[in-house]
Amino acid sequence: MSLGPASGPAAGAAPLISVTELHKSYGATRAVDGVSFQVARGQIRGFLGPNGAGKSTTIKIITGYLAADAGSVRVAGIDVAEEPIEARKRIGYLPESLPLYQEMRVDEYLQFIAKSRRMERRGAAQRIAEVMALLGLERMKKRLTGSLSKGYRQRLGLAQAILHDPDILILDEPTNGLDPQQIIEIRALLVRLAATKAILFSTHILQEISAVCSQIMIIRDGRLVADGTPAELAAAPGSERDWEIVISGTEEMPYADLDALGIGTPAGSDLAEGGRVYRFRRASELDIAVLGGRVTRTGRRLIEARRATRTLEQVYLELMGVGAKGAA
């Protein structure tokens, strides 16, 4: 059974994370340049980009660990710059590299987190038991955190992030180091949690983004270069979109005839209902009437012309300036 991405927030839902015109520079290097977005309850927003694109800096500003040069961040209606402690109470944060007290047992570590969150003792004990069961940590509770495998460290990181049942989860590479079964379990958990929370999910793994995220943001050189649902990103116009042209006749047309159609670079064909479908890479916009006339002069008939559906990988590569080369 496919879990699919979270379905998204209810119409008119107020954002739990609101980022407005965020700017941050390190000397002459502009790490974050005018980034704005919102995340509402019921939504998992994916944050995708290469190393150095500005993801981690943006996350550190949202969580109050770094001050912005300009712009604002509000979480659950609280200004992070003005009330950082109150804002952090509403956030569960899993950094890419989780700092652990190596000599603490797993249960001791979660008890320490509960105390630091000022959770009531009896309620904290019950919540720790619930979270350990949820993430499969019961049999590890007496293990030292320093002896845990990478996968169990990630589970413990998620446990501390959700322990105080925050409205907002900010997760940096949450499935890093997990085996395939654990990844499936974490995906299912995030989809369930998204029903009552706003989740910002940062990763470099395209499959993770498309599996659980209802909205995807792509950042490059500190600026958001795309923001939308997976379907919206795939359908957005772009200079390097492929065209698919269905032409009558099952015998493949000569390359010279295809090139003469003036669409773009021919990129293969397959049999289709009523003829063959031909693909053209990096094609310009088409005048269908003109194209139909050119096809007719080859002795064939134009049946259909359509933009090819792009994969998220192709969209990402195009936005990173790599183009379709190597895309699936």
Side-chain angles (χ1 to χ4, degrees):
M1 181 179 68
S2 174
L3 295 169
S7 58
L16 286 176
I17 303 174
S18 183
V19 176
T20 305
E21 284 295 316
L22 212 58
H23 291 264
K24 180 66 179 180
S25 296
Y26 299 105
T29 302
R30 188 167 292 180
V32 180
D33 188 7
V35 167
S36 297
F37 63 87
Q38 296 180 338
V39 190
R41 192 185 305 275
Q43 190 174 53
I44 304 179
R45 261 193 182 271
F47 202 24
L48 185 63
N51 291 335
K55 300 191 306 298
S56 293
T57 298
T58 302
I59 285 174
K60 288 175 182 176
I61 294 171
I62 295 171
T63 53
Y65 291 96
L66 193 64
D69 295 336
S72 66
V73 176
R74 301 186 74 85
V75 297
I78 300 167
D79 190 300
V80 173
E82 294 180 358
E83 300 181 83
I85 302 301
E86 286 302 310
R88 287 179 192 174
K89 290 178 182 178
R90 275 73 175 179
I91 296 172
Y93 177 38
L94 173 61
E96 183 175 2
S97 297
L98 177 69
L100 292 173
Y101 294 97
Q102 305 281 311
E103 301 304 316
M104 276 187 178
R105 300 195 311 259
V106 167
D107 57 353
E108 290 174 335
Y109 175 74
L110 291 177
Q111 289 163 10
F112 167 75
I113 295 296
K115 288 179 181 178
S116 69
R117 291 285 186 182
R118 297 184 179 179
M119 296 174 65
E120 188 271 326
R121 186 173 180 178
R122 183 176 299 176
Q126 181 178 345
R127 179 62 179 167
I128 287 170
E130 291 173 354
V131 168
M132 284 199 296
L134 188 63
L135 290 165
L137 287 167
E138 302 103 322
R139 69 189 184 94
M140 295 290 168
K141 66 181 180 180
K142 299 302 180 184
R143 287 275 192 95
L144 295 179
T145 65
S147 70
L148 295 177
S149 67
K150 176 65 174 176
Y152 275 108
R153 286 200 299 273
Q154 284 299 97
R155 292 192 194 198
L156 184 56
L158 279 169
Q160 64 81 27
I162 67 174
L163 187 62
H164 58 301
D165 195 22
D167 286 328
I168 296 161
L169 286 178
I170 298 178
L171 311 174
D172 199 354
E173 305 286 354
T175 60
N176 189 21
L178 302 182
D179 64 37
Q181 181 59 38
Q182 292 168 342
I183 289 173
I184 291 170
E185 292 169 358
I186 295 303
R187 285 177 183 172
L189 173 62
L190 293 181
V191 171
R192 292 202 303 273
L193 290 173
T196 58
K197 303 182 188 304
I199 301 178
L200 181 61
F201 182 120
S202 176
T203 183
H204 68 283
I205 302 173
L206 292 168
Q207 294 90 334
E208 291 305 297
I209 287 281
S210 58
V212 300
C213 296
S214 52
Q215 296 279 132
I216 297 170
M217 300 178 292
I218 299 177
I219 189 169
R220 175 185 179 186
D221 298 330
R223 298 188 65 85
L224 289 184
V225 293
D227 185 1
T229 66
E232 288 169 346
L233 295 183
S239 60
E240 297 187 355
R241 289 287 302 279
D242 293 354
W243 278 96
E244 292 180 343
I245 310 299
V246 183
I247 297 175
S248 64
T250 57
E251 184 178 347
E252 191 162 4
M253 292 175 66
Y255 183 93
D257 286 350
L258 293 172
D259 191 43
L261 296 178
I263 302 172
T265 304
S269 73
D270 293 296
L271 288 172
E273 186 175 352
R276 294 189 75 90
V277 56
Y278 297 87
R279 287 176 294 279
F280 296 82
R281 290 192 181 274
R282 303 189 179 188
S284 58
E285 293 298 325
L286 295 185
D287 184 316
I288 301 301
V290 171
L291 176 61
R294 291 173 181 170
V295 172
T296 300
R297 286 195 288 274
T298 69
R300 308 213 186 187
R301 177 172 55 88
L302 177 65
I303 297 173
E304 184 182 359
R306 60 185 179 238
R307 282 291 198 185
T309 301
R310 293 180 298 177
T311 64
L312 180 57
E313 182 181 17
Q314 288 171 320
V315 173
Y316 179 77
L317 290 173
E318 289 173 15
L319 291 169
M320 293 302 110
V322 180
K325 184 179 180 180

